[in-house]
Amino acid sequence: SQVDFVFCAVDMKKDEIKALEEAYAKAECPVISNNSANRGYADVPMIVPEINAGHAEVITTQRARLGTKRGFIAVKSNCSIQSYVPALSPLMGYGITKVLACTYQAISGAGKTFETWPEMLDNLIPFIGGEEEKSELEPMKVWGKVVDGKIVNAVTPAITTQCLRVPVSDGHTAAVFVSFEKKPSKEEILKLWKEFNGVPQDLDLPSAPKQFLNYFEEDNRPQAKLDRDLEKGMAVSIGRLREDSQYDYKFVCLSHNTIRGAAGGAVLMAELLAAKGYMD
């Protein structure tokens, strides 16, 4: 009997993961991957379901390349971008020109707990291997366009990031600075965040948060401990929107890195692809 599909989250070398995922796809088993090995291919969709559900259409091109009828690989983006990319996406209509994002990432993102990583107590490490490169590059794929059956990465906005490991069990926080071609008002930004939803909400998918983006008026929110579990960890929290002297605006945001950023995001992507008929 055939396996309907698989989730892939393995700790192996990149070329080994690539071979493994392709083998499953070629055996006509769809692969929903948390790994980065296949993220670079223009015909492998990297989907944040509320933002770029339409990228699923490149699966047709990928199947032709792999010689499959049903099998394919779809990947989740890096957990670091799942806090700030959802907050920036509704604002694209104002022409985002540049973004600076500093992320403060939980230890569970490294597969660790305080018991297994005691040196993280009372500590902060200003480096996470490969993370800044992914954080600057992957939004360009998410914001890209499908042209002739392949994803062509966006070329704007210019993004620079710094990623820090902080002594938090779960929840990645980002401090974001953004400039626009046509600067919106604060009220316009808040309205866009409040009203933003995507295909998962329209289809009422089981894992979809009812309210994807949640803005907190309090100066001291969102906080990892208080807000990471919002909507079962599938919502994104935003706060502290204000004008900036160097950029147009600055704000902070938070997402649960192992739920929205990893397992939950993969489940939601699988639900989306099933609803769109790619698992038939």
Side-chain angles (χ1 to χ4, degrees):
S1 64
Q2 190 177 27
V3 175
D4 290 339
F5 68 98
V6 293
F7 290 109
C8 186
V10 292
D11 188 6
M12 289 160 54
K13 291 194 179 82
K14 271 205 171 148
D15 52 351
E16 292 172 359
I17 294 171
K18 207 176 275 189
L20 177 71
E21 292 182 348
E22 276 201 9
Y24 269 87
K26 285 177 174 171
E28 301 296 359
C29 181
V31 178
I32 309 297
S33 179
N34 259 319
N35 301 107
S36 63
N38 280 298
R39 282 181 199 157
Y41 285 102
D43 61 5
V44 173
M46 183 171 72
I47 296 174
V48 180
E50 283 83 356
I51 297 167
N52 63 330
H55 284 194
E57 68 181 77
V58 304
I59 287 171
T60 308
T61 306
Q62 186 194 142
R63 282 172 169 161
R65 169 170 66 88
L66 297 176
T68 60
K69 288 189 173 64
R70 185 174 178 269
F72 65 85
I73 301 161
V75 297
K76 220 196 79 307
S77 70
N78 191 284
C79 53
S80 66
I81 76 168
Q82 310 249 348
S83 49
Y84 57 90
V85 165
L88 291 168
S89 295
L91 313 179
M92 285 298 195
Y94 289 99
I96 297 176
T97 54
K98 59 177 182 168
V99 174
L100 163 63
C102 293
T103 63
Y104 305 87
Q105 302 188 202
I107 63 172
S108 57
K112 303 280 179 69
T113 63
F114 288 116
E115 288 71 39
T116 61
W117 202 3
E119 56 268 43
M120 272 309 299
L121 283 164
D122 188 30
N123 198 13
L124 180 156
I125 299 175
F127 174 71
I128 304 171
E131 207 77 350
E132 285 156 1
E133 293 82 354
K134 290 173 188 170
S135 300
E136 291 171 2
L137 189 65
E138 290 188 12
M140 298 322 205
K141 183 165 183 177
V142 172
W143 289 326
K145 298 265 186 292
V146 176
V147 181
D148 298 329
K150 292 190 175 177
I151 298 157
V152 176
N153 287 12
V155 291
T156 58
I159 300 183
T160 184
T161 66
Q162 250 189 162
C163 300
L164 291 75
R165 188 72 71 191
V166 294
V168 169
S169 58
D170 293 304
H172 287 356
T173 299
V176 186
F177 301 78
V178 58
S179 287
F180 300 90
E181 278 168 29
K182 181 174 161 278
K183 184 181 174 181
S185 69
K186 188 177 172 181
E187 291 67 36
E188 286 170 318
I189 293 175
L190 292 173
K191 186 172 189 285
L192 282 167
W193 281 341
K194 189 174 183 184
E195 293 175 358
F196 184 70
N197 66 15
V199 177
Q201 286 72 32
D202 294 340
L203 295 176
D204 199 20
L205 297 177
S207 300
K210 294 280 179 275
Q211 180 67 35
F212 181 37
L213 305 178
N214 296 263
Y215 186 79
F216 287 86
E217 296 289 346
E218 299 91 330
D219 286 338
N220 63 349
R221 304 281 287 278
Q223 290 180 26
K225 207 169 188 174
L226 294 177
D227 303 312
R228 61 192 169 204
D229 292 322
L230 190 61
E231 298 238 23
K232 298 179 182 165
M234 290 298 287
V236 172
S237 302
I238 313 171
R240 302 202 70 206
L241 175 67
R242 59 221 191 276
E243 294 202 26
D244 182 62
S245 59
Q246 311 292 314
Y247 288 71
D248 286 336
Y249 286 100
K250 54 189 167 190
F251 60 89
V252 295
C253 37
L254 165 77
S255 69
H256 197 306
N257 57 298
T258 65
I259 302 180
R260 166 57 77 163
V267 170
L268 185 59
M269 177 165 57
E271 291 170 0
L272 171 75
L273 294 170
K276 292 279 185 190
Y278 288 100
M279 306 283 202
D280 296 349

